[in-house]
Amino acid sequence: MAAVALNFPPELLLKAQGIRVAFFDVDGVLTDGGLYLTEAGETIKRFNTLDGHGLKLLQRAGITPAVITGRDSKPLRLRLAALGIGHVHYGTEDKRPAAEQILQALGLDWAQAAGMGDDWPDLPVMRRCALACAPSNGHEEARAVAHHVTRARGGDGAVRELCDLLLVASGKYAGLLAESTL
């Protein structure tokens, strides 16, 4: 078994145990929150590969990543499809009903859910999840609701930090690490 460098507080690991689905916002969480516009008016987004790999690892560990976002774009759809994320709600301002639909489809409840958001539209989901997280550069209200505020900023490894926490709490991190270092 490979040595594990990560270390999370025991109380945080306890809170993260039993999580089976993780909800993620996009702008400010999976991206840096900036909106880059071309001359033609097309929106361009920057995604972090560490975050993408973390989402793939969650799936391998049996934890479902789900995305609920207020925006919709072809680049976003391409990125989420490339990551194999099947539970996605685009253009959704009222995020709680979307999360409830996903929970129902998966046969899960809020006690088995984690949520990561950075701003007011994410609060209704974050407040109901067993584990709420916010990136370090999230709005103060999101950070106040969060059980864990990541060291990393949104779009710069914050999602990976939550993924790693969930993998460690599930007991699957060390095995996945060992598989990747063979």
Side-chain angles (χ1 to χ4, degrees):
M1 209 42 90
V4 174
L6 287 179
N7 188 15
F8 292 101
E11 61 275 8
L12 187 58
L13 289 170
L14 284 172
K15 199 145 201 56
Q17 284 184 346
I19 298 298
R20 303 272 315 281
V21 62
F23 297 112
F24 297 94
D25 177 35
V26 174
D27 292 322
V29 174
L30 279 165
T31 74
D32 62 10
L35 295 177
Y36 307 96
L37 300 174
T38 66
E39 287 182 21
E42 182 183 3
T43 302
I44 301 170
K45 297 179 184 285
R46 177 190 164 275
F47 295 94
N48 187 298
T49 58
L50 288 174
D51 293 340
H53 188 65
L55 293 169
K56 287 181 179 182
L57 290 171
L58 278 188
Q59 293 173 75
R60 287 180 52 197
I63 300 170
T64 302
V67 171
I68 304 171
T69 177
R71 296 190 184 273
D72 189 2
S73 68
K74 186 174 180 180
L76 174 59
R77 285 179 180 261
L78 290 170
R79 178 64 177 151
L80 296 179
L83 294 172
I85 298 177
H87 294 280
V88 184
H89 284 255
Y90 299 99
T92 303
E93 293 301 320
D94 190 1
K95 295 183 178 189
R96 192 195 74 206
E100 289 172 344
Q101 287 177 5
I102 293 169
L103 288 171
Q104 185 177 23
L106 295 171
L108 301 174
D109 60 40
W110 289 107
Q112 298 166 296
M116 183 174 230
D118 71 316
D119 206 349
W120 291 11
D122 307 311
L123 297 177
V125 171
M126 292 174 68
R127 285 188 175 120
R128 285 168 179 78
C129 286
L131 176 68
C133 292
S136 61
N137 61 326
H139 188 277
E140 188 169 342
E141 297 298 337
R143 289 184 284 122
V145 167
H147 302 106
H148 178 64
V149 176
T150 63
R151 290 183 308 268
R153 297 172 59 83
D156 200 23
V159 166
R160 179 59 177 272
E161 193 173 323
L162 173 56
C163 292
D164 288 345
L165 167 61
L166 296 175
L167 293 169
V168 170
S170 74
K172 301 202 174 154
Y173 183 92
L176 289 167
L177 179 61
E179 286 175 18
S180 71
T181 57
L182 293 177

